[in-house]
Amino acid sequence: MGEISISASQWKLVEVGRIVLFSTGKYEGRLGAIVEIIDHKRVLVDGPAEDAKLAVPRHAASLAHVLLTSIVIPKLPRATGTGKVKKEWQKSEVESKWAQTSWAKKRAQAARRRQLTDFERFKVMRLKKQARFEIRKTTAKVRASKTKS
């Protein structure tokens, strides 16, 4: 018989310790950790962020209102208390890991762009045009040198 290779899926699973991002509701844009799975549609979430404005109180959340991230707090016990979650949150450096993800960087850039005034958007457009001109100029030089050779 032939060799059979079985590998685990690369999906983000709903599991205790998985970090979630709230996509809707009053906690939109905040992070929380799954503490307990209530049923196939709801989880118990706790988000002990270092900044009090970003903290999410312990509550039941619908899976339709959260997005699963790739960050997991390893070996977090089921239904653990807020104090233990906070210790593990800081030990795992969840917020710094989140800040390094491309997802968080894109969200920050989009938020920054939403805050721009009309004149600032105009300046960004002009800078992009200047950069594009320089790139085209150098590629034209390279093409011209190749055709002469």
Side-chain angles (χ1 to χ4, degrees):
M1 296 230 159
E3 291 289 320
I4 297 175
S5 175
I6 299 173
S7 62
S9 66
Q10 297 298 317
W11 295 344
K12 298 174 196 157
L13 301 174
V14 176
E15 60 183 320
V16 174
R18 173 77 60 186
I19 303 301
V20 295
L21 174 70
F22 284 86
S23 60
T24 59
K26 65 180 186 179
Y27 303 116
E28 183 177 353
R30 297 184 189 184
L31 295 175
I34 296 177
V35 178
E36 181 69 63
I37 300 169
I38 298 171
D39 59 24
H40 69 285
K41 291 187 175 185
R42 295 180 307 146
V43 291
L44 186 64
V45 179
D46 197 357
E50 293 171 9
D51 185 9
K53 293 178 183 176
L54 299 176
V56 177
R58 187 182 188 100
H59 71 285
S62 172
L63 286 172
H65 298 160
V66 297
L67 301 168
L68 301 175
T69 67
S70 58
I71 305 167
V72 179
I73 298 175
K75 298 180 182 174
L76 186 70
R78 293 180 68 133
T80 188
T82 304
K84 174 77 171 163
V85 173
K86 188 169 188 169
K87 284 181 190 173
E88 293 295 323
W89 183 280
Q90 291 170 346
K91 183 179 170 186
S92 298
E93 299 175 346
V94 171
E95 291 175 10
S96 63
K97 285 180 185 176
W98 169 250
Q100 293 171 358
T101 63
S102 61
W103 189 1
K105 290 174 185 174
K106 286 177 188 174
R107 287 178 60 88
Q109 184 181 24
R112 215 175 311 124
R113 286 195 175 159
R114 277 194 298 271
Q115 300 297 323
L116 292 179
T117 64
D118 186 42
F119 183 62
E120 290 169 334
R121 281 193 297 277
F122 172 75
K123 290 195 292 189
V124 168
M125 181 206 52
R126 294 292 297 168
L127 289 170
K128 283 183 176 180
K129 283 177 84 171
Q130 288 175 357
R132 189 170 53 242
F133 176 76
E134 292 298 323
I135 290 170
R136 287 183 178 173
K137 192 165 67 171
T138 55
T139 55
K141 283 183 184 177
V142 170
R143 280 195 208 124
S145 66
K146 283 185 178 179
T147 55
K148 289 181 182 179
S149 304

